[in-house]
Amino acid sequence: GVRAEPALCWSGVLPLASAAVPFDAAVVPGSPSVRMLCRDASKPGRAATVDRGALWTAVSTPQLARAMAGSAEAGAGLRRREGPRADAAAAKLLSEEVSLLLAPFLGGEHLRPLSATATLWSDASAADSLHHPHECVSLPAWRLAIAGEFVKEAASPLEAAALSGLAAGEAVAAAL
């Protein structure tokens, strides 16, 4: 079977100066704390500004999520999804990490979020894959394909999910 890993999902409204960042989304394989970062306005139909700022989303590494869930300051509240102190501790830490990641693209400026929240997802992503030989599990007779980061390993879980989804779409289209 496939085991699941936790993740913290950070949502923060950054000052409009964050519009100068030259990308809408990034996978951060070298970071010990942030796995993925995304500008919310890059998603279809989303507003360019929210509350006089730009909404960004970050997903933590499983290691950071486990550490925060186990910390004395945030642990109990994160595990039970209660307590503003727990959410505030995770939001503050991830706000600092996002600021550090974006600073090189903003001339070294560290942006402080206008607001930020963090939520723990105990089963956010697959800890391992099924090691399937293909990116998706295809069942042509049923015009069905099973896709996800858990099917076959890739350089990152996001890459595995994207490749799996593309392969599933092609498999279903070929079966039609």
Side-chain angles (χ1 to χ4, degrees):
V2 176
R3 294 177 299 112
E5 293 183 309
L8 288 161
C9 183
W10 174 89
S11 183
V13 177
L14 294 177
L16 291 176
S18 67
V21 174
F23 57 83
D24 287 326
V27 176
V28 194
S31 172
S33 54
V34 176
R35 182 180 267 183
M36 187 271 305
L37 181 61
C38 173
R39 183 190 329 255
D40 199 63
S42 67
K43 300 172 190 169
R46 300 291 174 98
T49 60
V50 176
D51 298 330
R52 299 179 319 278
L55 183 61
W56 287 77
T57 300
V59 177
S60 79
T61 60
Q63 296 83 356
L64 179 67
R66 278 193 290 275
M68 287 300 295
S71 78
E73 183 179 359
L78 282 173
R79 279 194 296 275
R80 291 193 306 265
R81 292 182 190 241
E82 65 185 24
R85 182 173 173 196
D87 290 340
K92 180 180 178 195
L93 177 65
L94 282 166
S95 293
E96 292 167 2
E97 293 297 323
V98 167
S99 179
L100 287 171
L101 288 169
L102 293 180
F105 303 100
L106 299 166
E109 182 182 359
H110 291 269
L111 297 179
R112 293 178 188 252
L114 305 173
S115 63
T117 60
T119 304
L120 176 69
W121 294 87
S122 57
D123 297 324
S125 64
D128 197 7
S129 79
L130 296 174
H131 304 287
H132 194 270
H134 304 287
E135 278 82 12
C136 72
V137 177
S138 178
L139 305 167
W142 292 277
R143 292 186 227 153
L144 177 69
I146 300 167
E149 84 270 11
F150 61 89
V151 177
K152 184 178 180 182
E153 283 189 59
S156 76
L158 296 169
E159 180 182 354
L163 292 173
S164 186
L166 289 170
E170 290 176 8
V172 171
L176 296 178

